[in-house]
Amino acid sequence: MEALGIVTLLLTGFVIVYYAYMASHTDRDVSFFLSVSILSMFMNLCTNTAGFFAIAWLYLGIGVLFIGLGFAVGARETTAFYASIGPRLKSTFTDVKRIGWQTLSLVVFPAGIALYFVHYKKDFAHAKVCGRCALWGLLLWGLLLWTVLGLVL
């Protein structure tokens, strides 16, 4: 059941990213889906912390339902979202010059924040990439810490 809790966390995170993309690339109001997904993520983390994994099926159902409803909200935007994943990953992982800095900023987010301020005036694009990876790293470390402590304690 712990594995189901982890899978639903990942699925809910994907749904949040998906509806954040939909909110910025469509004129439709998807704030309901985005807010329910954020609440679902928080409640899923609390449920995993409490060790009550039976309700994880509800979070799995919400995630699958919201992904399916995304096609009803905007089929063209949904197709564009899935089509943009490949080129975005390709551009991220083929930029050999910055992949090390991105990885460092993601794994050690205080270093990424420091790199943002160091490169802010010289190379703003590099600083922006390091800062963005540092913020994602902070979020991922917080979620990972919450998940691990919830499963262990």
Side-chain angles (χ1 to χ4, degrees):
M1 291 303 278
E2 290 89 359
L4 182 63
I6 301 298
V7 167
T8 56
L9 278 175
L10 294 174
L11 181 65
T12 307
F14 176 77
V15 170
I16 290 171
V17 169
Y18 169 65
Y19 278 107
Y21 176 88
M22 291 289 281
S24 64
H25 288 86
T26 185
D27 58 345
R28 294 181 178 89
D29 186 22
V30 293
S31 60
F32 170 76
F33 298 110
L34 194 57
S35 61
V36 170
S37 298
I38 291 170
L39 285 172
S40 179
M41 174 68 86
F42 178 73
M43 290 170 51
N44 196 350
L45 286 167
C46 291
T47 303
N48 289 346
T49 302
F52 185 64
F53 297 107
I55 200 165
W57 291 102
L58 174 69
Y59 305 129
L60 181 67
I62 290 172
V64 170
L65 177 71
F66 279 12
I67 288 174
L69 285 175
F71 284 100
V73 169
R76 187 171 43 93
E77 291 86 0
T78 299
T79 307
F81 169 72
Y82 288 118
S84 72
I85 292 174
R88 185 174 297 144
L89 289 176
K90 183 179 178 186
S91 69
T92 299
F93 291 113
T94 57
D95 189 4
V96 180
K97 180 179 153 187
R98 291 192 179 153
I99 189 76
W101 295 113
Q102 290 173 337
T103 306
L104 176 70
S105 298
L106 184 71
V107 175
V108 186
F109 63 89
I113 294 170
L115 285 170
Y116 173 78
F117 289 112
V118 167
H119 295 290
Y120 183 76
K121 289 187 180 181
K122 292 188 298 183
D123 187 9
F124 184 70
H126 180 66
K128 187 176 173 183
V129 167
C130 289
R132 187 178 298 143
C133 286
L135 290 176
W136 278 109
L138 177 65
L139 178 71
L140 289 175
W141 273 107
L143 289 175
L144 182 69
L145 183 65
W146 195 348
T147 303
V148 168
L149 288 178
L151 292 175
V152 172
L153 297 177

